[in-house]
């Protein structure tokens, strides 16, 4: 079992390679700028990136407070957990590559302006929750999802003044809940592009642009899909 506890303000790279063992990274940054984080967890199950080993409630979220943050996280294995919050960050770049089954991802971004997120998941029965913007909303969000596998659940709440989401899905029995709110005029309008291949998938989209424009483009290849779209301004 490998545990790393980090109180950070700078650049760090963490690589975990214990075979078939839990690997844990606990993080808390209360302030600072220009942070670069690279975490690689492989060849194990039950890997954790969070604030502590207690994964109940928001107290489990790692905290990253500051501007100009760049994250790269690779997790290979099953039953992994990534739970964290980003506070008041301008220029937030986040890349996540996850391979395995029964993984849990929960990311909370309070404000998080100019966010660029690239999220890739390969596996089954995974749960992914992304809540970006918060009560204060954010500006300019660019989000790319790639989901490959079956029985995955994605909950995506983006509150931003201008948001672009590009989502590619390959698999069956996946469920997506996508909420996109805030002014849509920062990049002309809110946009969602969803390309889905597979059967028995379910998509629920709510797009509220607050007196601005919104656009949704769906390409669905498969049987028994259930699509529910609500747009308002």
């Amino acid at each position: 079992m490998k545990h790393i506890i980090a109180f950070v303000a700078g650049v760090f790279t963490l690589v975990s390679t214990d075979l078939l063992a839990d690997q844990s990274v606990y993080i808390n940054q209360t302030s600072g700028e220009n942070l670069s984080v690279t975490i690689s967890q492989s060849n194990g199950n039950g890997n954790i990136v969070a604030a502590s080993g207690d994964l109940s409630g928001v107290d489990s979220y790692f905290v990253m407070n500051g501007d100009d943050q760049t994250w790269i996280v690779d997790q290979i294995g099953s039953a992994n957990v990534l739970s964290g919050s980003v506070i008041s960050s301008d220029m937030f770049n986040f890349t996540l590559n996850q391979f395995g089954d029964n993984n849990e991802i929960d990311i909370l971004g309070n404000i998080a302006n100019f966010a660029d997120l690239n999220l890739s998941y390969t596996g089954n029965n995974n749960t992914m929750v992304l809540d970006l913007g918060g009560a204060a909303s954010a500006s300019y969000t660019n989000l790319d999802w790639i989901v490959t596998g079956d029985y995955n659940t994605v909950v995506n709440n983006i509150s931003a003044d201008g948001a672009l989401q590009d989502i590619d899905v390959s698999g069956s029995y996946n469920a997506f809940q996508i909420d996109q709110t805030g002014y849509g005029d920062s990049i002309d309008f809110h946009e969602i592009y969803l390309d889905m291949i597979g059967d028995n998938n379910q998509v629920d989209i709510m797009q509220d642009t607050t007196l601005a424009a919104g656009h949704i483009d769906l390409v669905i290849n498969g049987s028994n899909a259930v699509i529910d779209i609500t747009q308002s301004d």
Side-chain angles (χ1 to χ4, degrees):
M1 180 176 293
K2 178 176 291 184
H3 300 283
I4 301 174
I5 302 175
F7 297 87
V8 298
V11 180
F12 66 92
T13 300
L14 304 177
V15 180
S16 299
T17 58
D18 285 351
L19 182 63
L20 299 177
D22 293 347
Q23 303 158 45
S24 304
V25 178
Y26 304 145
I27 304 172
N28 182 21
Q29 173 168 292
T30 58
S31 64
E33 298 181 351
N34 300 311
L35 174 68
S36 178
V37 180
T38 301
I39 300 173
S40 179
Q41 295 176 319
S42 60
N43 298 326
N45 298 322
N47 301 319
I48 298 173
V49 178
S52 70
D54 181 3
L55 299 177
S56 59
V58 295
D59 289 341
S60 68
Y61 289 20
F62 66 73
V63 176
M64 305 304 295
N65 191 348
D67 294 335
D68 297 304
Q69 297 187 32
T70 299
W71 285 73
I72 301 174
V73 179
D74 295 325
Q75 286 185 319
I76 301 175
S78 296
N80 298 316
V81 174
L82 187 149
S83 180
S85 61
V86 178
I87 302 175
S88 301
S89 175
D90 285 332
M91 304 303 295
F92 174 54
N93 297 287
F94 186 80
T95 300
L96 174 65
N97 298 298
Q98 192 178 74
F99 300 85
D101 302 327
N102 302 301
N103 296 308
E104 296 182 13
I105 304 298
D106 192 350
I107 301 174
L108 173 64
N110 185 12
I111 303 179
N113 294 320
F114 304 99
D116 188 358
L117 298 95
N118 294 276
L119 310 176
S120 177
Y121 307 93
T122 301
N124 305 314
N125 297 297
N126 298 305
T127 301
M128 311 125 191
V129 178
L130 174 64
D131 192 337
L132 192 64
S137 189
S139 297
Y140 303 103
T141 298
N142 183 31
L143 173 59
D144 293 306
W145 296 82
I146 299 176
V147 179
T148 304
D150 304 325
Y151 296 99
N152 295 301
T153 300
V154 174
V155 178
N156 177 357
N157 300 307
I158 306 296
S159 178
D161 298 342
L164 169 62
Q165 298 190 58
D166 194 337
I167 306 167
D168 292 308
V169 182
S170 179
S172 300
Y173 295 97
N174 295 299
F176 281 78
Q177 177 184 324
I178 303 170
D179 292 348
Q180 194 175 56
T181 61
Y183 287 95
D185 59 355
S186 291
I187 53 172
D188 295 329
F189 45 74
H190 286 324
E191 298 176 272
I192 297 175
Y193 295 90
L194 174 62
D195 191 337
M196 179 174 288
I197 300 174
D199 300 329
N200 300 290
N201 290 307
Q202 179 175 339
V203 179
D204 188 343
I205 298 175
M206 190 279 288
Q207 189 180 66
D208 184 350
T209 57
T210 315
L211 301 178
H215 176 76
I216 299 172
D217 190 344
L218 303 180
V219 177
I220 308 295
N221 292 304
S223 302
N224 303 314
V226 177
I227 310 294
D228 188 355
I229 297 175
T230 302
Q231 287 181 307
S232 63
D233 62 2

